[in-house]
Amino acid sequence: MSSKTIQPHQKELFGHPIGLYVLFFTELWERFSYYGMRALLTLYIATSATAIDPGLGWSNKDAIWLYGWYTMLVYVAAIPGGWLADKFLGQKKTVMLGGFLLCVGHLVLAIPGTTAFFSGLLLIILGVGGLKPNISTMVGGLYKQGDIRRDSGFTIFYIGINIGAFLSSIVVGLVAYKYGWHYGFGLAGIGMLLGQAVFMFGQKYLTHVGNFIGASGSDADKEAMKKPLNKIEKDRVIVLLISFLIVVVFWGAFEQAGGLMNLYTDAKVDRSISIGSWTEIPAAVFQSLNAGYIIIFGTLIGGFWIWWKKQGKESSSLFKMAIGTIIMGLGYVFMMFASKEASAESFGKAAMFWVFLAYLFHTIGELCTSPVSLSFITKLAPVKYASIMMGVYFAATGFGNKLAGSIGEASQLESFSGNMVVSKQAILPFMAKDSIEIKNAEREIVTIHDYPINQDKNFSLKTKVYVENGEVVYKELESEKNLNSLFELSTKEDSNTKELLATLTERKITASNPYHAKLVFEKDKDKAQITENKGDGKDYGVSFVLEEQQSEVEYATFKWLVIFTVAFGLLLLLFLKRLKKLTHGAEDKERVIHDETEGFELADN
C-alpha cells in the first residue's frame, strides 16, 4: 500500500497492533510444524533402514548433503513467493496459499515410503516459499515509517516463531522417539493446520495489510507501482543487498544446529539422564535449546537495544547484525572444548553443558541479527518491491543453509567400507546378547534378549586400528582379539585398504599408539525385507571412520567457524559508517508512534 493511504482505526494490545498477535500465533504454529520436522530430518535420513523404526539408511555425510539442499530450497522459494505476492495476489492471499501447501506437505510426510517423503518435502518447500516472506512483510506493514516499536514488534513476532520451535523440538522429538518417525511428522502437520486456522479466523484484524496494491482503486497506489526508483530508494536497495551477504555468512555458521551439531550431539555428547523411565535424552530434543533461550532472552535483548539507543550509542541495524555475527561465532568456542573433551579418550563423550553454552551464544547472536534483519528490510524496501526484497532475504538465508550443509558435509569423513566374510557362527563369539526392540505379529514393539544378528539388526565392535609389518591390523578394544578375518574392505581403483594403510603409515600409527574405529555391521536393507532370510547372518556390510581423524576434522570445522564469523563481523564494523550513509537516515528519527488514523507502510522517502 502507499504511504499516503488513510486506513481504519487500528486496535492495539500491549502497545502493539492487535494484528501482530494474529501473525504471531500463525507463525508460531507454522514454525512448530517446520522445526518439528527439521529436528527429525537428518536423524531419520541417517537411521538404518533395518532399524526397529526404519529410516532411509543414508550415511551421515549424505544426510547432511540432503539437509543442506532442502533447507536452501525452502528459503530460495521465497523469491517466487514474494514475486507472486507483489505482482498478482498480495501478501495475504499468498500466505493463505502457502499455508495450504504446508498442511498438505507435512501430512504427506506422515505416510511411510520414500515417494511420500520426497513429495512432502517438495510441498513444504513451495509452502514456505509462499508463506515465509509475506507474513514477515505483513508484520512490517503494521507500523508507520519511523515507529521505534517496529524492531520490538519483530522481536515479539520472533518469540512466537521460537515458542513454536521450542515446543515442537521437544514434543515432536519425543513422539517420534516413542511411537515412530511418521507419527512425529504427522504431529508437525497438525501444528500447521492450527496455524492455518488462526490466520483464517484472524482476517478481520488484517484488513489493512497484505493486500495487493495493484488492484487498489487509489491513484497514489497505482502511481507508486509505475514510478521508477529514485536515488534514495536505489541506495537503500544496495545496502539491503550488502546486508544479505551478512545473512548468508550468519546462517551458514548458525545452521550447523540441524546438521553437524545435531549429529555430533547424537554421537559424541553424553546425554545420560535419570528422570523416571528416561535414561538418555533424545538428540532431537536438544534442538529446543535455541528456541527456549529466545523465549527467555528475546524481550530482554530487545529492551537492551532500545535502552542502548536512548543512551545515544550506536544502535543501527547493521551494527546489531555485526555484533550478533561475532557473538554467534564465539559459541563454537564451546564446541571446540567439547571436541577436545570427547577426543581425550577412546570413544569418549563430551559433557552436555558445552552444548548448552554453545546454543546460548548462538541464540544471543541470533536475537541481535535475525529479527533486526527482518525489521531492517521493511524500513528500507521500496513499497512495490516489499515482498520480493523479503523473498531475496529468505533466499540469502537459504544460501546460508546450503553453505551450512556444505560445511557440515565436509566435516564428515567418507567411511571405509567392505563386507563381512565369515558365517554367523564365526562372529557370534565377538558379540553379546542384548535387549532388542522388535515388532511382533501384531506390529507391537516388544523387547527380547537375543544376539542382534539373529534379528537382522546392526551391531558394532569397538576396535584398535594400527599398522604392523606393512598391514592394517584390527583388534577388539577390550579383548585384544584379532578381527581381520571377519571382513574385507571393498577393492576399487583407489583401494580402501591402500588409502587406510597410507593414512596410518603417514601418521606413524602403531600398536603402541593405535587409532580407534567403531566397526558397524549392517544387513543389506533389501535382503533384510525377505522374511525367510531372517537371522541367516549373511549380506552384512561393514563401515567405519577413524575416530581420531574424524575428531580432528570436527575440531577444525568448529575452529574455522569461530575465526571466519568473528573476522567478518569486525570487517563489517570497519565499514559501518559508509554503509549507513546508503540508508539516508532511515533509522535516525525513530520514536513511538500511536497515530492510529493514518496508514502503515514500508519504506518512504
Side-chain angles (χ1 to χ4, degrees):
M1 74 196 75
S2 106
S3 59
K4 307 298 182 184
T5 305
I6 304 300
Q7 300 298 339
H9 178 86
Q10 301 305 317
K11 293 182 179 179
E12 291 189 355
L13 179 65
F14 304 125
H16 288 273
I18 199 167
L20 174 66
Y21 302 98
V22 174
L23 301 178
F24 172 98
F25 284 106
T26 301
E27 186 71 344
L28 183 157
W29 287 112
E30 187 274 330
R31 292 289 92 179
F32 177 95
S33 64
Y34 177 78
Y35 280 101
M37 180 277 296
R38 194 196 76 160
L40 305 181
L41 188 59
T42 52
L43 300 175
Y44 169 72
I45 296 169
T47 295
S48 168
T50 61
I52 181 65
D53 187 25
L56 296 186
W58 293 19
S59 68
N60 283 359
K61 190 179 184 72
D62 289 339
I64 293 178
W65 173 83
L66 179 60
Y67 174 82
W69 275 104
Y70 166 70
T71 52
M72 182 191 80
L73 292 173
V74 158
Y75 289 111
V76 169
I79 293 181
W83 175 80
L84 184 66
D86 282 343
K87 297 297 182 183
F88 300 103
L89 297 180
Q91 296 144 15
K92 198 153 41 184
K93 289 182 179 178
T94 310
V95 168
M96 193 77 75
L97 175 61
F100 171 75
L101 293 173
L102 280 167
C103 289
V104 176
H106 280 290
L107 294 175
V108 167
L109 283 181
I111 302 171
T114 305
T115 301
F117 177 73
F118 286 104
S119 298
L121 292 186
L122 176 60
L123 288 167
I124 291 170
I125 288 169
L126 296 174
V128 173
L131 185 146
K132 193 67 178 161
N134 295 301
I135 197 168
S136 298
T137 306
M138 288 175 69
V139 173
L142 293 169
Y143 299 91
K144 290 187 66 178
Q145 190 68 20
D147 192 338
I148 198 172
R149 297 178 302 163
R150 187 187 299 243
D151 280 4
S152 61
F154 269 101
T155 299
I156 292 171
F157 179 70
Y158 208 71
I159 290 172
I161 290 174
N162 287 279
I163 290 174
F166 175 76
L167 293 174
S168 67
S169 296
I170 295 177
V171 177
V172 174
L174 290 177
V175 167
Y177 179 76
K178 185 171 179 61
Y179 299 105
W181 300 111
H182 297 287
Y183 283 94
F185 290 137
L187 180 59
I190 292 172
M192 188 59 235
L193 287 171
L194 290 172
Q196 188 76 341
V198 169
F199 188 71
M200 292 172 65
F201 286 107
Q203 290 297 295
K204 64 181 179 179
Y205 299 109
L206 301 170
T207 56
H208 60 295
V209 291
N211 301 308
F212 178 44
I213 65 174
S216 170
S218 165
D219 291 337
D221 285 343
K222 291 178 180 178
E223 183 65 25
M225 289 292 288
K226 295 178 182 178
K227 189 172 65 174
L229 300 182
N230 58 35
K231 175 66 166 60
I232 292 176
E233 289 172 327
K234 288 178 181 178
D235 282 350
R236 288 176 172 174
V237 168
I238 290 171
V239 79
L240 280 178
L241 293 176
I242 293 172
S243 75
F244 293 156
L245 179 61
I246 306 171
V247 171
V248 173
V249 172
F250 180 88
W251 291 109
F254 181 91
E255 273 298 329
Q256 299 304 319
L260 171 59
M261 286 187 65
N262 206 7
L263 293 172
Y264 189 90
T265 302
D266 188 44
K268 295 188 177 180
V269 172
D270 183 2
R271 297 176 282 112
S272 302
I273 194 170
S274 181
I275 300 178
S277 61
W278 270 23
T279 57
E280 188 175 65
I281 301 174
V285 172
F286 281 80
Q287 294 292 293
S288 67
L289 286 175
N290 170 242
Y293 284 142
I294 285 177
I295 295 167
I296 295 169
F297 296 109
T299 54
L300 294 176
I301 290 177
F304 167 79
W305 284 117
I306 291 175
W307 172 83
W308 187 258
K309 184 178 182 70
K310 288 179 178 178
Q311 303 306 304
K313 298 180 180 179
E314 176 62 55
S315 57
S316 64
S317 294
L318 291 169
F319 176 77
K320 295 175 189 176
M321 292 162 71
I323 295 299
T325 301
I326 292 170
I327 293 173
M328 182 275 299
L330 290 174
Y332 284 106
V333 171
F334 300 109
M335 294 309 298
M336 292 169 63
F337 287 128
S339 182
K340 282 293 185 183
E341 182 178 314
S343 59
E345 59 182 57
S346 304
F347 304 105
K349 292 197 173 187
M352 281 189 286
F353 68 81
W354 295 121
V355 180
F356 278 79
L357 289 170
Y359 278 122
L360 175 61
F361 271 63
H362 290 178
T363 300
I364 294 172
E366 182 184 4
L367 284 168
C368 293
T369 303
S370 190
V372 170
S373 301
L374 295 172
S375 180
F376 191 53
I377 294 165
T378 65
K379 293 173 185 176
L380 269 66
V383 64
K384 67 177 180 178
Y385 295 131
S387 292
I388 291 177
M389 292 306 296
M390 190 66 77
V392 175
Y393 163 80
F394 282 111
T397 302
F399 290 126
N401 277 265
K402 182 62 181 75
L403 175 62
S406 298
I407 293 170
E409 184 184 350
S411 71
Q412 301 298 302
L413 296 175
E414 288 281 358
S415 297
F416 296 102
S417 60
N419 296 288
M420 189 174 79
V421 294
V422 296
S423 66
K424 181 170 74 172
Q425 287 69 30
I427 204 166
L428 280 177
F430 294 93
M431 67 174 68
K433 288 186 176 182
D434 197 4
S435 295
I436 304 170
E437 290 185 335
I438 65 168
K439 290 182 179 178
N440 60 20
E442 288 74 36
R443 305 291 293 170
E444 298 173 332
I445 296 177
V446 296
T447 302
I448 64 172
H449 197 65
D450 197 0
Y451 291 108
I453 200 168
N454 287 336
Q455 301 297 328
D456 287 348
K457 300 300 180 184
N458 296 356
F459 60 94
S460 61
L461 300 175
K462 293 181 178 179
T463 68
K464 297 177 180 179
V465 185
Y466 57 90
V467 175
E468 189 172 78
N469 299 324
E471 299 288 337
V472 179
V473 177
Y474 307 87
K475 286 193 175 180
E476 193 174 22
L477 185 65
E478 299 297 334
S479 68
E480 295 282 341
K481 293 179 181 176
N482 191 291
L483 305 177
N484 285 57
S485 62
L486 302 183
F487 69 98
E488 59 183 23
L489 295 186
S490 302
T491 54
K492 303 176 183 177
E493 187 176 337
D494 55 337
S495 168
N496 268 311
T497 303
K498 289 181 180 178
E499 181 184 343
L500 178 59
L501 180 60
T503 298
L504 296 173
T505 302
E506 179 184 349
R507 296 175 175 231
K508 296 181 173 58
I509 305 303
T510 63
S512 60
N513 63 323
Y515 267 4
H516 299 82
K518 182 185 289 185
L519 306 181
V520 178
F521 292 75
E522 182 174 6
K523 178 91 171 185
D524 179 88
K525 63 180 180 181
D526 294 324
K527 298 295 177 63
Q529 304 304 316
I530 304 175
T531 306
E532 52 267 31
N533 288 349
K534 185 174 182 179
D536 64 3
K538 298 178 180 178
D539 304 302
Y540 266 85
V542 181
S543 62
F544 65 92
V545 296
L546 297 173
E547 292 291 313
E548 286 80 0
Q549 193 177 13
Q550 179 62 56
S551 294
E552 289 173 7
V553 173
E554 288 165 344
Y555 180 83
T557 301
F558 295 138
K559 180 181 72 174
W560 284 109
L561 284 169
V562 173
I563 293 172
F564 185 76
T565 51
V566 172
F568 185 85
L570 293 174
L571 184 65
L572 182 61
L573 292 175
L574 186 63
F575 289 96
L576 183 61
K577 287 185 178 180
R578 294 183 183 180
L579 293 173
K580 282 181 64 178
K581 287 182 180 179
L582 295 175
T583 68
H584 293 275
E587 299 180 296
D588 290 347
K589 298 179 180 180
E590 292 183 326
R591 66 196 189 283
V592 176
I593 300 175
H594 288 291
D595 185 349
E596 298 173 342
T597 61
E598 294 188 21
F600 297 80
E601 79 291 338
L602 297 174
D604 196 4
N605 295 343

